[in-house]
Amino acid sequence: AQSVSQHNHHVILSEAASLELGCNYSYGGTVNLFWYVQYPGQHLQLLLKYFSGDPLVKGIKGFEAEFIKSKFSFNLRKPSVQWSDTAEYFCAVNAFKDSNYQLIWGAGTKLIIKP
Amino acid sequence: GAGVSQTPSNKVTEKGKYVELRCDPISGHTALYWYRQSLGQGPEFLIYFQGTGAADDSGLPNDRFFAVRPEGSVSTLKIQRTERGDSAVYLCASSLTASGAGGTQYFGPGTRLLVL
C-alpha cells in the first residue's frame, strides 16, 4: 500500500542552524509531492510542491525541497532556521489509489526552534 | 471567497447527538475534501467530492458519517449518534482539479469537535 514516512517526529534546533526533514514515500507511479506547514494555532498551509521539471523546488520563507526519484524521497531543507519556523511539518504525496487521486500524508514532524 | 472557510470553528456536543459541519471552498474549485486530524497525527482522509458527487468515500469510518455537496460548492459533513472517539479537528480542503498542477489542496481552519 502507498505510504509516506517522515523519519523524525520531533526536531529541536537552535536559531541559525540548518534544517533537513526527511520524507520517503512508497509508490512506483507518477507522483505529485507537497510539504505543508501548520504553525501553532493556525491551519495547514502549503509550503512548496513538486509536479515536474526541476527536482529542486523552492517554497515560501526560504524553504526548499529536493525530489530524488531513485530514492523515493522529497526532503525539506532550510539553510538557517528562525524561531518563527516553530511548527509542525507534513509531507504529502498525491498518488493514484483505488481509481482516484488521493493525498497520502506523513505523520508530521514537530519542529521547535530555540531562540 | 479568498480561502476555504469552515463553520463552526468549535463544536461541543454530547454523546449520541447529531452534528453538522460546514465547508465553503474557494470559488471555482471543483474538488472538495474532508479530513479528520487527531492530536499529533497527520490528516486522515474521509471523503472527496468532484462537483456534486462523492468520487471517493472510502475514508468514512462508518455509516454514522455522511457528507453532501448538493450544488457543487458548499459541503456539509454530518455525523449521527456522535461518540467520544469522534472528537477531532475536521478539516476541509479544496482544489481546482483532482490531479496535476491544479490538484494542490488548500485547507480551511478546521472545526474542532468535542464530544462529551
Side-chain angles (χ1 to χ4, degrees):
Chain A
Q2 294 93 338
S3 65
V4 177
S5 298
Q6 291 184 241
H7 313 302
N8 307 100
H9 293 298
H10 293 88
V11 173
I12 302 174
L13 295 172
S14 297
E15 275 195 314
S18 66
L19 169 72
E20 180 158 2
L21 300 182
C23 173
N24 285 89
Y25 64 93
S26 63
Y27 182 70
T30 302
V31 293
N32 301 322
L33 301 157
F34 305 84
W35 276 97
Y36 283 86
V37 59
Q38 191 165 26
Y39 296 103
Q42 296 188 29
H43 61 277
L44 281 162
Q45 299 173 40
L46 181 68
L47 202 53
L48 49 77
K49 60 187 177 183
Y50 171 81
F51 286 96
S52 63
D54 189 344
L56 184 63
V57 292
K58 295 191 184 298
I60 59 171
K61 303 187 181 185
F63 285 90
E64 64 179 32
E66 185 175 12
F67 170 50
I68 303 179
K69 190 174 181 180
S70 60
K71 295 185 178 180
F72 298 89
S73 70
F74 191 55
N75 292 355
L76 181 71
R77 300 195 293 247
K78 185 170 183 178
S80 176
V81 294
Q82 300 172 303
W83 176 78
S84 58
D85 293 325
T86 294
E88 189 157 17
Y89 293 80
F90 293 93
C91 180
V93 175
N94 198 9
F96 200 69
K97 179 183 177 187
D98 297 334
S99 307
N100 280 298
Y101 280 93
Q102 197 174 106
L103 201 55
I104 301 164
W105 294 82
T109 298
K110 283 191 178 148
L111 175 66
I112 297 172
I113 306 299
K114 297 184 294 184
Chain B
V4 179
S5 61
Q6 292 185 247
T7 54
S9 52
N10 291 281
K11 176 72 178 177
V12 181
T13 191
E14 293 179 344
K15 181 174 178 292
K17 299 287 188 185
Y18 167 83
V19 297
E20 288 189 354
L21 312 179
R22 177 189 165 107
C23 172
D24 200 341
I26 293 172
S27 178
H29 280 193
T30 62
L32 184 146
Y33 309 79
W34 283 100
Y35 294 88
R36 179 167 68 175
Q37 187 177 23
S38 299
L39 203 61
Q41 296 183 20
E44 172 194 0
F45 170 76
L46 296 177
I47 186 170
Y48 143 59
F49 287 89
Q50 182 61 47
T52 60
D56 183 354
D57 63 359
S58 62
L60 294 177
N62 51 59
D63 61 5
R64 294 187 298 106
F65 288 75
F66 189 69
V68 295
R69 194 186 185 200
E71 296 177 0
S73 178
V74 170
S75 175
T76 304
L77 178 66
K78 308 180 181 194
I79 310 174
Q80 298 176 319
R81 305 183 304 279
T82 52
E83 299 177 356
R84 292 195 181 88
D86 298 336
S87 297
V89 178
Y90 289 81
L91 300 172
C92 178
S94 71
S95 64
L96 197 59
T97 61
S99 64
T104 301
Q105 294 183 26
Y106 296 91
F107 283 80
T111 294
R112 189 175 299 275
L113 175 66
L114 178 61
V115 182
L116 300 176

